[in-house]
Amino acid sequence: MSEYETILYDVQDNVVLITLNRPDRRNAMNRELNRDLLAGFERAAGDDEVRAVVVTGAGRGFCAGADLAMFQPQPTADQIYEIIISSYQPMMETITSMKKPVIAAVNGVAAGAGASLALACDLRVMAHDASIMMAFSNIALVPDAGATWFLTRLVGYSRAYEIAAEGNRIPAERCLELGLTNKVVPAAQLDSISLAWAGKLAERPTLALGLTKQAMQHAHLHDLASTIEYEARLQKQTIPSYDFKEGVMAFMQKREPKFQGK
Ligand code: T3D
């Protein structure tokens, strides 16, 4: 029996596949799913055997955002604030701070906080019939769970505002044009293509890939001089690494490197 109620957690060949598993609700996020997802991402972040992460949804949806059943009876504004701070904030921060690549394999609609989840990942692969939907305004909410942060960075203010204000489903091909996804693939091949991509990344130098995430996040918020200094500081971690020595040696010996992720 799985140790989680609402996700599947499956590690193979240094890649973990985390599957949101409430298909009859389009994987809408209730307290249990939020708890399990956070635990799953924290486990993946802390496990050195895991060198890349793929997150996807069971059934026809990726994730429909907050489970609207929670709003009946309606919680107080303070309770909602508490849910956002105690579950969505650590979930998104765990994804963005983990020192390994995270791919969202978007199998169906990613709506509301489900869109935030997809956009928090480093890379996205979408099935041709999947979509991203800033559903918040459809129920008169502000985008949350980091949606404004991720969306404005990916597509710029004006497009982000249009997407958020209109609340439409954005089909995969349009997501590709907008830079909201890296690839669009046939639905039947979504899992295999996403896992193969994660597998290739898991063979790359994990420490350097993780620190690259950190450097790029820093670059968004700082000037050039500070960014170059920060990159130099991060390089102090890569230079003594096994993988750096292996990378240089492999180049000199004209062979493929065998990185160990450290
Ligand atoms: O407290 C907090 O967490 C605050 C934070 C809020 C952050 C948010 O995420 S707000 C946004 C919440 N999400 C939505 O508003 C999306 C609502 N859902 C939809 O718009 C549509 O269902 C979808 C576009 C996601 C999918 O459409 P479709 O046609 O593929 O499926 P469907 O038939 O609408 O849904 C299938 C079932 O899933 C259906 O149940 P049924 O009728 O078969 O028993 C539907 O009610 C259920 N479902 C879909 N989304 C949700 C949901 N149940 C609960 N919560 C949902 N969000």
Side-chain angles (χ1 to χ4, degrees):
M1 201 179 116
S2 166
E3 60 209 276
Y4 304 105
E5 269 176 55
T6 58
I7 64 165
L8 305 174
Y9 189 98
D10 182 28
V11 184
Q12 272 176 41
D13 301 329
N14 301 116
V15 173
V16 63
L17 175 64
I18 298 177
T19 306
L20 282 64
N21 197 21
R22 299 187 71 221
D24 54 331
R25 300 282 99 187
R26 297 282 187 274
N27 302 310
M29 292 156 144
N30 60 4
R31 280 175 191 272
E32 292 74 26
L33 180 55
N34 285 343
R35 177 203 61 205
D36 288 350
L37 257 186
L38 177 58
F41 284 125
E42 284 176 341
R43 180 172 163 189
D47 183 351
D48 289 343
E49 289 303 304
V50 169
R51 293 172 59 185
V53 178
V54 177
V55 57
T56 193
R60 288 180 47 210
F62 175 75
C63 174
D67 190 324
L68 296 181
M70 290 196 311
F71 291 86
Q72 286 173 331
Q74 192 163 337
T76 65
D78 283 345
Q79 285 169 328
I80 295 294
Y81 176 88
E82 181 51 33
I83 291 171
I84 294 170
I85 300 303
S86 64
S87 42
Y88 294 115
Q89 189 178 36
M91 189 192 304
M92 304 307 160
E93 285 187 345
T94 302
I95 295 169
T96 55
S97 67
M98 83 168 79
K99 294 200 179 75
K100 49 195 85 175
V102 184
I103 300 177
V106 184
N107 55 301
V109 65
S116 306
L117 172 62
L119 299 185
C121 298
D122 303 300
L123 302 162
R124 278 157 295 286
V125 184
M126 291 179 73
H128 74 280
D129 55 355
S131 53
I132 289 178
M133 183 179 179
M134 284 289 138
F136 305 91
S137 58
N138 298 344
I139 53 169
L141 290 182
V142 168
D144 66 14
T148 58
W149 170 275
F150 300 122
L151 196 61
T152 50
R153 275 165 177 74
L154 284 166
V155 301
Y157 169 75
S158 203
R159 280 182 165 150
Y161 189 76
E162 178 183 342
I163 290 166
E166 291 188 340
N168 293 329
R169 279 195 202 211
I170 306 168
E173 285 298 341
R174 180 66 183 143
C175 288
L176 190 62
E177 289 167 4
L178 288 169
L180 283 173
T181 188
N182 300 80
K183 299 177 201 271
V184 176
V185 302
Q189 291 169 40
L190 178 72
D191 286 354
S192 59
I193 289 174
S194 305
L195 288 168
W197 196 11
K200 279 197 169 172
L201 292 172
E203 290 173 358
R204 309 265 310 141
T206 309
L207 176 67
L209 265 55
L211 295 177
T212 301
K213 255 171 102 153
Q214 231 172 284
M216 288 187 173
Q217 285 162 13
H218 179 97
H220 270 304
L221 302 171
H222 294 84
D223 63 20
L224 179 60
S226 155
T227 299
I228 292 175
E229 192 279 330
Y230 190 69
E231 290 166 352
R233 245 188 297 152
L234 295 179
Q235 217 65 293
K236 283 186 170 184
Q237 296 180 50
T238 57
I239 297 293
S241 70
Y242 172 91
D243 283 347
F244 174 61
K245 286 187 195 70
E246 166 63 7
V248 174
M249 206 187 315
F251 178 81
M252 301 307 284
Q253 296 171 350
K254 300 189 187 305
R255 62 172 173 82
E256 285 301 312
K258 269 187 166 299
F259 293 121
Q260 291 189 6
K262 55 187 183 187

